[in-house]
Structures are given as C-alpha cells and as structure tokens.
Amino acid sequence: MREECGIFGIWKHPEQDACVATGEHDALSAARLTYLGLFALQHRGQESAGITSLQEGKLKTIKGMGLVSEVFSTQNIETFPGTAAIGHVRYSTTGSSILENAQPISVTYAGGQLSAAHNGNLVNTDLLREILERQGAVFQTTSDSEVIIQTIVSHTASCDLYQGIIRAISSIKGAYALILLTNNELIGIRDEFGFRPLCIGKLNNSFVLASESCALDIIGAEYIREVEPGEIVIINNSGITSQKPAKQPERYKQCVFEYIYFARPDSKVFGKSVYDVRKQSGRYLAKESPVSADVIIPIPDSGVSAALGYAEACGIKYELGLIRNHYVGRTFINPKQSIREFGVSMKLNPVREIIADKRVLLVDDSIVRGTTCKKIIKMIRNAGAKEVHLRISSPPIKHSCFYGVDTPDPAELIASTHSLEEIRDFIGVDSLSYLSIENLLSAASSSIENDRFCTACFDGAYPILQG
Ligand code: SF4
C-alpha cells in the first residue's frame, strides 16, 4: 500500500508581492511556505514535487522529479516570489512516473490561468478523456488530474469558473481532494464521499489548505477545520466563502486507511488525531486478541502507536526491539520486488538483548503481501525469540483500492488468497490476529459515525464502482 499524494495551498502571504523584489525577507513568500508545507507532506509522495506561485497576477510553476529537497534548491525557492501558491508531492496511481505528470498542472483558458493540485483517483477517467478528446481537447499528460482540470475548463465556455466547477463535479466520479489556484483566488474541493483529507488553517491573515495538519504546524498556522465532503471553499482577498453545490445526502466515505498507515501520527485528519486513533486501535486489539508474552515490540514506524495502546491495555512491557535505519531513503520506493526484499534488513535491525529467550509480541499496522512480514519474523527468531506472536491493528486487506491508493491486485494480497491459519504458517508466527472492522471504526469515530468511513479494501463494499 502506497501513499497517494500531498497537496498544499496558501492565499495572501505576504500581503504585497514584494518579498524578493524589495529585498524584504522577513515575510516568507507563499512559495517558500508551500515548500515547507510540502516538506511536511513528503511521506505522501516522493516521485515528484512542484509549486505554482501567483506572481504579479500571473501563475508560474517549478516542478521536477524527486523529493522536495531535490526539486527545490535555496536558489530557486528564494527567488520565487508571490502572494499565493499551491504545491504537490506525488506518488503515481494513474499515469506513469514522468515529469509531464508532475503537478501542479496548469492551463490557460478564456477566463485566465488555472493551476491544480490533486490527491485521489477518478473512476471514470477513460470515459471523461474520450468525451473531452472528441470535443477537441489535447492532453499534455496521462494523469487523471489533467482530466479534472480540462473537464472544468470545458464547462466554462458558457459560464464562470465557479459554475464550471459545479458542472464538472456532476460528471467527475471518484476520489479527489483538489486545490485550484487562479489569478484571483484559491479554491479547495473535496468529493462528496470525502475519500481524501483536506483541512483549512490560518496564518495571521492568510488562509491555508493542506492534506494533513502537520503541514499547518510546520509554518505555524492554526488548524481551523476540515473541508467537508462535497464542499467547495473559495478564498480570495475578501476572505473565505463556502458552498455545497446542491443539497446532497451525506454519504461520507472517508479513507480509514489514512488513520491506519498513510497520515503522519502527529497529524489531525478528518477532524481527529491520527495518533489517538492508532493508540485506541491497539487498546481494542489487546482486548480482542490477548496473548501471554514477555515483551511487546512495535514494527517501526507504522506499528508504534498501536503497540503503545496494546501495552497500555494489557500491562506487558513495551520495548523498542527493532530499530529502523532512517537514512535508507528511497531504496524502498523502488517498486522492484528484488530490491524491496533486499531492503528489509537494511531498514530494520533487531536488538538481541531485548529479544533473546523472550516470548515476543510484535504489533504492526497491516499485512499486504506478507513477504516483508515473513522476513521480519525470521529476523526476530534469529535474534533468539522463544515465541513470536503477531497482532495487526487493522483487518485483513483483501481487495484493491480504486480511490487513490496504490494496492496490489487481489491475487497478490495474502489475505485475499490465504486463510488466517495459512497466513500464520506462511509468515512463521506462533499466533496471529487482526483487529475487527467494528473496533477499527469505533477507534476512528464515535459509534454513531461508523458509517462515515470507506472500508472497501477490507470488506469489498465499494462506495462507487469503476466506469
Ligand atoms: S479502499 Fe481502503 S485504501 Fe482505498 S479509500 Fe477505501 S479504505 Fe482507503
């Protein structure tokens, strides 16, 4: 399971478009704040990064392949003025990993310039692309994000941008958290199900939009609230306005996997602390699946918060028995299986003094193919563990995601093709349990809100189908 993308936008910082031109560096330009925001969102995508800045009424973009720190140098970011900007970090889920597909994507149309940063995946991209191409649209990229922007532009032939957005939304199906920058405003949009997160913050007089609140924290902005599913927020020099295009039933299906793995634990997403949800999942897991063990060890970093919750609930000693090498970097972003397998021992190393002769309980967030997990278990056994038990703080992943998360085909998902006992045998543990969907949802929300989350990768209940 791979993160999707991270998006960020800020309007009106500093007040004057003069940061570089006048040498006044005390107020950071919108682009420099966006750079910091993308830096905080780097975990959501490492293939490409880009920023579009509004400079003296015109949109200008810098983007490239690689990490934020590789695409932006001190030189190019410090000479990139502007009072508004949007930014994007990408992991490709539709369209290949090439510079043309890097975002933000910009177009010039009859109404001016429009730039977009998109997180999510449409389920009717092919159909929309075909319709647009028949109308004469020429695509520069293979990404569904360009399909969104072209769909919006095609609807502005007979109306203004806002009406064009509303008309486009009625034909776009799928998952999208979207930040648009025009010559006059910053616009944030979430699809009606709210699959992907987007929050609003404030930095002095400037409004900020970001995938996760950690991107607000890094620039010192205050968290205000989430953009609601189906909501369009328009931010301009008059302030912020919010619209929901039509009266629609609340059909929230926010991605519960944001809580399990994607989002940073120090973030708030969908209005709730990710750390709190993970820790509560661990407490529930301890109640559902107790085990006699001498020590609880998290598989870092994803299992840390749940392991803390598990240890708190059952009173077994918590230790950091696996140490992660934080300098391995993008070795693990290479999708080739051979490198991924080689990478496990480069990434994690056991602390023998904690593990030897102990009954070890490992806690992790999920099992996808099971191959990485098997290697970690072998590592723990080689370090002298007497018994190895594994507890997973989410339900078994049996289905692929169509909403902006890169998942293997079901044939490669071990829980789709193997029984619990077969998985236990394959990865080589003495016992194995997963958290139930019911308790995952209880950890993520209050009981009356349990239907506000997508759980399709666990139960196959897809809120919208492809096509
Ligand atoms: S299918 Fe899974 S990963 Fe995809 S949006 Fe739903 S909960 Fe999230």
Side-chain angles (χ1 to χ4, degrees):
M1 305 282 271
R2 294 276 183 187
E3 297 90 342
E4 331 84 14
C5 297
I7 57 177
F8 183 93
I10 182 163
W11 182 259
K12 214 179 174 191
H13 201 282
E15 303 267 331
Q16 304 283 320
D17 195 355
C19 189
V20 170
T22 65
E24 290 171 16
H25 287 279
D26 42 324
L28 290 183
S29 73
R32 287 167 76 185
L33 291 170
T34 302
Y35 165 80
L36 292 170
L38 293 184
F39 203 74
L41 296 172
Q42 185 75 83
H43 60 290
R44 297 182 72 88
Q46 302 88 24
E47 286 182 1
S48 66
I51 295 175
T52 297
S53 169
L54 178 61
Q55 301 172 15
E56 296 174 341
K58 299 263 183 278
L59 301 187
K60 299 202 174 146
T61 300
I62 298 176
K63 57 186 175 181
M65 301 304 292
L67 302 172
V68 176
S69 58
E70 293 167 335
V71 173
F72 296 98
S73 62
T74 310
Q75 204 180 10
N76 68 14
I77 201 68
E78 293 215 346
T79 53
F80 202 44
T83 53
I86 60 172
H88 188 272
V89 285
R90 178 167 195 258
Y91 176 77
S92 55
T93 48
T94 298
S96 44
S97 178
I98 51 172
L99 181 59
E100 287 71 31
N101 284 337
Q103 296 190 36
I105 293 174
S106 303
V107 291
T108 301
Y109 70 112
Q113 289 176 291
L114 177 61
S115 189
H118 167 221
N119 173 204
N121 230 36
L122 300 191
V123 296
N124 63 340
T125 311
D126 292 347
L127 178 68
L128 290 174
R129 183 182 281 265
E130 199 184 313
I131 292 168
L132 289 163
E133 282 176 341
R134 274 209 222 110
Q135 290 169 354
V138 177
F139 286 89
Q140 308 159 35
T141 76
T142 55
S143 79
D144 58 349
S145 310
E146 191 184 10
V147 171
I148 295 177
I149 199 167
Q150 291 279 12
T151 304
I152 292 171
V153 166
S154 74
H155 283 289
T156 58
S158 58
C159 61
D160 64 16
L161 179 65
Y162 177 68
Q163 288 303 324
I165 290 171
I166 291 175
R167 290 180 193 177
I169 282 172
S170 65
S171 57
I172 291 168
K173 278 170 64 185
Y176 53 91
L178 198 60
I179 304 181
L180 304 176
L181 181 63
T182 76
N183 308 99
N184 307 302
E185 65 223 326
L186 180 74
I187 300 169
I189 307 168
R190 273 177 86 197
D191 67 76
E192 63 177 318
F193 293 97
F195 287 104
R196 308 262 73 89
L198 188 63
C199 65
I200 306 171
K202 202 157 182 220
L203 177 65
N204 304 321
N205 294 322
S206 307
F207 283 100
V208 186
L209 298 170
S211 296
E212 296 179 30
S213 66
C214 64
L216 306 179
D217 297 337
I218 197 171
I219 62 166
E222 177 196 356
Y223 172 89
I224 305 292
R225 67 174 177 89
E226 301 293 304
V227 175
E228 291 293 317
E231 184 182 12
I232 302 172
V233 294
I234 301 170
I235 299 162
N236 54 30
N237 288 344
S238 305
I240 184 166
T241 53
S242 158
Q243 320 238 8
K244 281 207 176 182
K247 251 203 156 347
Q248 49 193 346
E250 284 194 357
R251 297 195 290 170
Y252 293 10
K253 288 291 172 192
Q254 302 173 118
C255 173
V256 78
F257 227 93
E258 290 283 350
Y259 286 134
I260 296 165
Y261 176 72
F262 299 134
R264 274 175 44 165
D266 53 334
S267 280
K268 197 184 254 193
V269 296
F270 309 138
K272 197 158 180 177
S273 154
V274 175
Y275 180 85
D276 285 352
V277 173
R278 287 185 190 165
K279 202 166 171 198
Q280 186 59 29
S281 298
R283 289 189 197 104
Y284 283 135
L285 188 58
K287 282 193 185 138
E288 279 185 4
S289 306
V291 66
S292 293
D294 302 312
V295 63
I296 293 178
I297 294 174
I299 296 184
D301 292 326
S302 50
V304 169
S305 316
L308 278 166
Y310 195 109
E312 190 182 286
C314 71
I316 300 173
K317 194 164 63 163
Y318 171 95
E319 293 275 13
L320 295 175
L322 275 170
I323 302 301
R324 182 174 169 192
N325 181 345
H326 287 270
Y327 301 95
V328 175
R330 286 192 292 153
T331 310
F332 297 93
I333 293 151
N334 192 316
K336 285 188 181 163
Q337 183 70 19
S338 56
I339 291 186
R340 190 163 42 229
E341 287 187 15
F342 174 64
V344 173
S345 55
M346 284 173 66
K347 188 177 172 186
L348 295 173
N349 199 34
V351 183
R352 286 166 200 281
E353 291 70 20
I354 291 174
I355 293 167
D357 299 321
K358 302 268 177 38
R359 294 171 301 161
V360 172
L361 170 57
L362 288 175
V363 178
D364 203 1
D365 66 300
S366 56
I367 302 176
V368 182
R369 292 180 177 85
T371 45
T372 303
C373 193
K374 185 182 173 81
K375 285 178 176 293
I376 294 170
I377 304 302
K378 195 171 169 204
M379 193 183 273
I380 297 288
R381 290 213 185 271
N382 288 344
K386 254 192 334 201
E387 294 173 19
V388 186
H389 304 269
L390 180 61
R391 295 293 176 268
I392 301 296
S393 61
S394 68
I397 302 167
K398 297 182 175 178
H399 306 273
S400 300
C401 175
F402 305 133
Y403 312 129
V405 174
D406 188 26
T407 31
D409 288 336
E412 290 181 60
L413 294 168
I414 193 167
S416 177
T417 53
H418 293 63
S419 68
L420 183 71
E421 182 55 24
E422 286 168 343
I423 300 170
R424 187 202 63 71
D425 192 47
F426 174 77
I427 61 178
V429 285
D430 296 288
S431 77
L432 168 68
S433 294
Y434 292 84
L435 183 66
S436 65
I437 290 187
E438 293 70 29
N439 271 334
L440 170 65
L441 293 177
S442 295
S445 59
S446 66
S447 55
I448 50 161
E449 289 179 325
N450 275 357
D451 62 348
R452 292 168 78 91
F453 293 97
C454 174
T455 52
C457 48
F458 307 119
D459 58 13
Y462 290 103
I464 30 173
L465 296 174
Q466 279 187 303

